[in-house]
Amino acid sequence: MGLFSKLFNNKSTVVKGRGYNSFDDEYDVYSKWLDSSPKFEDFFPKEDEQLIKRYSDKYKTDEGYKLREIFLLVWWGRIKKGRQLNVAKPKYFIYDYNINVDKVTNKFISDKILVVNEDNIVKLTEAGRDIYNKYLELWNMHRNGANLDSEFIGWNEIDYIVKQNNQKIKSIKKQILYLEAGINHNKSFPLPKTSRFFTDYTESINNDTQYVEEMKKEIIRLTEQNESLM
């Protein structure tokens, strides 16, 4: 079975209206089809990637630490009985916040906002507890995937979720346009209507459209909840 035939779920290496005498002919047609298909980056420009970055280091704290470093302090302080110094640290400190956990933790100990007792348990000092209380919302910001620096001032969890849902709706609508463009592009080739491109794309569009409607309802609910708290 040829590559083109496998791709489009055909049992024959001959697509109606066009015959292919060799693997090279078939692959050439597939390559041209692929090159002319809609490009994902045209629908999701690189600027959108900034929406998922978790920090920028632009916010200047009174304490002189970066917000992402203080978030580590908040993590240490979330358990009242303390954590073992050698406990496994969450990987998001490395991958999302680019933090050398041991180095920053030692800095906090040196600055006397963390202390390690005789049982090797790390706890907040009184000074550390003050900082912890001041920046406690960093945990909710992290939990919601917010950029710590850009969202810290005036943080409101419900407002942020609503904003994110609106952004998701915009992104999903872009995805729907991308899928629709893919379907229209595929129609220029003599593919069977049962081709997985048509069926999978159509199913994705239907699912995405339903998800958008659900998020719109959630936005209305959250907005009403926020207004009731004011």
Side-chain angles (χ1 to χ4, degrees):
M1 184 180 291
L3 175 64
F4 193 70
S5 303
K6 285 182 180 179
L7 185 69
F8 295 116
N9 236 359
N10 253 344
K11 293 183 178 179
S12 171
T13 56
V14 177
V15 181
K16 186 179 179 181
R18 303 184 187 187
Y20 302 99
N21 298 320
S22 70
F23 176 85
D24 289 340
D25 290 341
E26 192 172 336
Y27 186 80
D28 183 58
V29 171
Y30 167 66
S31 296
K32 289 179 180 178
W33 172 85
L34 195 62
D35 289 342
S36 61
S37 64
K39 300 297 185 290
F40 193 75
E41 57 267 24
D42 292 338
F43 293 83
F44 292 87
K46 287 188 176 180
E47 302 87 79
D48 289 1
E49 296 176 5
Q50 298 302 314
L51 298 172
I52 61 174
K53 193 170 182 182
R54 306 300 288 272
Y55 68 93
S56 66
D57 290 341
K58 290 183 179 180
Y59 184 88
K60 305 303 179 184
T61 68
D62 295 334
E63 296 77 13
Y65 304 112
K66 298 172 182 177
L67 277 180
R68 57 191 169 109
E69 294 176 331
I70 295 180
F71 170 58
L72 174 60
L73 181 77
V74 170
W75 178 81
W76 277 115
R78 276 181 55 78
I79 297 180
K80 288 185 178 181
K81 65 179 182 180
R83 303 179 191 266
Q84 283 282 344
L85 181 61
N86 61 355
V87 69
K89 283 76 173 180
K91 297 297 184 183
Y92 52 69
F93 283 118
I94 298 173
Y95 298 122
D96 292 342
Y97 299 101
N98 193 26
I99 288 177
N100 184 323
V101 175
D102 291 339
K103 181 179 179 180
V104 177
T105 297
N106 287 334
K107 180 180 179 182
F108 289 156
I109 294 171
S110 176
D111 291 346
K112 300 185 182 338
I113 57 176
L114 284 180
V115 63
V116 183
N117 66 17
E118 62 276 8
D119 296 320
N120 219 31
I121 300 293
V122 179
K123 289 188 176 183
L124 296 168
T125 65
E126 185 175 343
R129 176 65 59 180
D130 289 340
I131 298 174
Y132 172 89
N133 290 331
K134 181 178 178 181
Y135 294 96
L136 182 58
E137 282 299 323
L138 289 176
W139 181 259
N140 285 331
M141 295 175 69
H142 158 73
R143 191 166 55 86
N144 283 283
N147 183 300
L148 302 184
D149 296 274
S150 62
E151 301 292 341
F152 183 72
I153 297 178
W155 167 255
N156 179 296
E157 187 171 11
I158 294 178
D159 281 348
Y160 180 78
I161 294 174
V162 168
K163 182 174 72 172
Q164 287 299 100
N165 282 352
N166 279 319
Q167 185 58 48
K168 287 178 183 177
I169 288 174
K170 287 176 62 178
S171 294
I172 290 173
K173 285 183 175 179
K174 287 181 181 179
Q175 178 167 299
I176 290 173
L177 290 175
Y178 170 75
L179 294 173
E180 289 175 340
I183 288 177
N184 290 332
H185 174 68
N186 290 341
K187 285 179 179 178
S188 65
F189 281 77
L191 306 178
K193 296 303 179 184
T194 56
S195 163
R196 66 184 178 87
F197 282 98
F198 290 120
T199 56
D200 289 359
Y201 279 27
T202 300
E203 182 179 359
S204 293
I205 289 172
N206 291 337
N207 290 340
D208 287 346
T209 301
Q210 181 180 349
Y211 186 53
V212 165
E213 293 306 313
E214 291 173 355
M215 278 200 293
K216 286 181 179 179
K217 293 178 182 178
E218 179 69 2
I219 287 172
I220 293 173
R221 186 188 70 78
L222 289 170
T223 301
E224 291 175 349
Q225 178 183 339
N226 205 24
E227 291 174 351
S228 69
L229 296 175
M230 294 180 179

